[in-house]
Amino acid sequence: MSDPDRRRLLAGGASFAGIAALGLCPAPARAQSSLAMPQPDSVEADRLAAEFAGGAEPLAEGLALDLPALGDNPAAVPVRVHVTGPITDALWCEEIILIADLNPKPLACRFRFTAATGSADVAVRVRLIRSMPIRAYARMNDGRVLMARQEITVAAGGCGL
């Protein structure tokens, strides 16, 4: 390549670089990527609770929810739920659900009981995405719905989201 050709090539390249830097060249369309995750909310958790209650007003007594104030391992937070009142042949718990309000899938677990079960007491370990309220609901065979709620603080990274 001769010297004048080389100079013309370099000058043309420099001109193109200047035009590109000013944004005057059309660029191919690219999808925008975002590292922002959608913020979880309790809308789905509220829907699950309302569906479980079936129109009954949940009572804030008769159900105990035991969990640590600080969950140091968010992948396995111990939770215990139990009906505090007497369970008899005439009055028993039919079902208990546990809701982790801000998890991507808030329904953590569901347990069904019969009169022959003898007690309504369950202990599980749940995975939590972050600090949040935990709710437990129990449906009694007489139609009452019992509720307990407690906040828990957890370390980051439980669900890996």
Side-chain angles (χ1 to χ4, degrees), residues 49 58-65 135-138 145-149:
L59 305 172
E61 57 188 34
L63 188 64
L65 176 61
R135 292 188 266 175
Y137 291 87
V145 175
L146 312 176
M147 185 199 81
R149 181 182 184 277

Side-chain angles (χ1 to χ4, degrees), residues 18-161:
I19 290 171
L22 291 174
L24 300 176
C25 285
R30 284 183 266 166
Q32 292 182 342
S33 66
S34 172
L35 298 177
M37 296 293 292
Q39 292 300 308
D41 57 34
S42 60
V43 172
E44 177 63 9
D46 291 341
R47 187 195 67 74
L48 288 166
E51 182 180 291
F52 183 81
E57 184 67 33
L59 305 172
E61 57 188 34
L63 188 64
L65 176 61
D66 301 323
L67 60 136
L70 175 64
D72 57 351
N73 179 5
V77 176
V79 178
R80 179 179 175 225
V81 181
H82 57 99
V83 174
T84 59
I87 302 290
T88 66
D89 288 340
L91 180 65
W92 71 90
C93 177
E94 294 179 333
E95 188 172 12
I96 290 177
I97 64 170
L98 187 64
I99 297 175
D101 275 35
L102 302 178
N103 269 1
K105 298 201 181 246
L107 183 60
C109 55
R110 177 183 300 262
F111 298 94
R112 293 197 171 104
F113 305 91
T114 67
T117 305
S119 69
D121 189 337
V122 295
V124 296
R125 291 189 179 267
V126 296
R127 181 176 285 209
L128 302 175
I129 188 172
R130 65 186 222 187
S131 300
M132 69 179 72
I134 303 291
R135 292 188 266 175
Y137 291 87
R139 184 181 312 109
M140 304 302 286
N141 71 318
D142 64 0
R144 291 180 301 142
V145 175
L146 312 176
M147 185 199 81
R149 181 182 184 277
Q150 189 173 331
E151 294 280 334
I152 183 166
T153 302
V154 298
C159 284
L161 294 177

